[in-house]
């Protein structure tokens, strides 16, 4: 049993295996992400997302999500993250620092990702993740 347990990677090792090694950075890109969800008067659910990079930054964005099977704040924050990653990809030499109050986003990528990857991403919002 001890030998079997020794082979199982820790959560930190599994995250390192999933995302790869970290590197020194040449500066930081900072973005603030937010999402919300509410019901409209007609009973439909709509979610919104926003990303804020700084005053007058061309990557600042705000979108409404209503065409998905069921718009949720969790799905919206994942979409905001995709937008941030796409914008940051234009500056690959920079480190990306995301600020969010979404526990779902933090847990999805920092705690649950290794387990979800091991289980073929059989999780909520796997199409977005």
């Amino acid at each position: 049993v001890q030998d079997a347990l020794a082979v199982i990677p820790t959560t930190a090792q599994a995250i390192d295996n999933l995302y790869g090694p970290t590197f020194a950075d040449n500066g930081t890109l900072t973005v603030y992400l937010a999402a919300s969800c509410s019901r409209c008067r007609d009973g439909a659910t709509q979610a919104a997302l926003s990303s804020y990079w700084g005053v007058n930054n061309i990557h600042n964005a705000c979108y409404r999500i209503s065409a998905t099977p069921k718009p949720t704040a969790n799905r919206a924050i994942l979409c905001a993250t995709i937008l941030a990653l796409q914008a940051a990809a234009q500056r690959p030499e920079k480190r990306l620092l995301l600020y969010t109050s979404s526990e779902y986003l933090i847990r999805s990528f920092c705690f649950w990702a290794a387990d979800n990857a091991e289980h073929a991403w059989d999780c909520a919002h796997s199409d977005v993740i």
Side-chain angles (χ1 to χ4, degrees), residues 17-89:
N17 291 340
L18 180 64
Y19 293 127
T22 56
F23 301 97
D25 67 83
N26 293 322
T28 301
L29 298 173
T30 302
V31 61
Y32 296 83
L33 303 178
S36 180
C37 185
S38 65
R39 276 209 194 306
C40 298
R41 290 183 185 149
D42 64 1
T45 303
Q46 292 187 344
L49 61 94
S50 65
S51 63
Y52 178 76
W53 296 79
V55 177
N56 297 323
N57 190 293
I58 62 169
H59 297 298
N60 290 342
C62 184
Y63 295 100
R64 183 179 69 189
I65 300 176
S66 58
T68 61
K70 184 178 180 194
T72 65
N74 290 342
R75 187 174 191 84
I77 199 70
L78 290 169
C79 291
T81 304
I82 290 170
L83 290 175
L85 292 172
Q86 289 173 335

Side-chain angles (χ1 to χ4, degrees), residues 95-115:
R95 180 175 70 134
L96 177 61
L97 181 58
L98 300 174
Y99 285 95
T100 183
S101 61
S102 171
E103 289 186 29
Y104 178 78
L105 179 65
I106 295 165
R107 292 178 191 275
S108 291
F109 291 101
C110 297
F111 299 101
W112 302 332
D115 188 57

